[in-house]
Amino acid sequence: MSPVRYQSRSRSEVPFEAVGAGVLRVLSDSRTPVFLTVHASGRRRYGYWQPHDHATDRGGCYVALPTPICDRLYSEGRIALGDPLVDPAKTTYRVWLAYDPVTPVRIPVAPLSAVAVAQTLAA
């Protein structure tokens, strides 16, 4: 019997929803601040610092997030940028999840008579 060979998928073949969900998961963790750096050349880079984990002996480095995915989330209004920190060579923004305020929904209710209210309370 021959070994089973799995087809590898390139990053471009992974659905946007899966990659976008991973980016949103990183952004939703308040312990992981994410930043956008816009260089003077116009190059944009989203990333965060991954602290060192002694248990797995991994981390202690910057991790870049996929720029096209983050730009799409920004254009859809899913993420927002904080105040800029301007440097001669680059501008850095803090990236936040965009929380849209939800308008309260009022359900129309027909007025009840006093007898119906009394019967409801007695039950």
Side-chain angles (χ1 to χ4, degrees):
M1 196 174 219
S2 64
V4 177
R5 294 187 55 117
Y6 293 100
Q7 294 291 332
S8 66
R9 294 173 64 175
S10 70
R11 193 180 301 178
S12 63
E13 294 175 7
V14 177
F16 170 77
E17 291 77 22
V19 178
V23 170
L24 289 173
R25 189 177 314 112
V26 169
L27 284 164
S28 65
D29 185 4
S30 62
R31 298 170 297 172
T32 308
V34 177
F35 296 93
L36 164 64
T37 303
V38 181
H39 295 273
S41 64
R43 181 174 152 244
R44 302 165 59 85
R45 177 62 67 190
Y46 294 83
Y48 64 96
W49 175 258
Q50 183 179 29
H52 185 265
D53 183 11
H54 294 286
T56 61
D57 199 31
R58 296 183 66 186
C61 60
Y62 282 103
V63 178
L65 295 172
T67 303
I69 300 296
C70 293
D71 284 342
R72 183 169 171 187
L73 290 171
Y74 178 71
S75 68
E76 291 174 354
R78 306 280 308 269
I79 59 176
L81 303 179
D83 294 330
L85 178 63
V86 180
D87 185 89
K90 62 186 175 187
T91 303
T92 305
Y93 302 87
R94 174 76 189 266
V95 180
W96 303 95
L97 284 178
Y99 294 104
D100 292 333
V102 178
T103 57
V105 177
R106 296 197 178 257
I107 301 172
V109 178
L112 294 176
S113 66
V115 174
V117 171
Q119 289 173 348
T120 304
L121 292 176

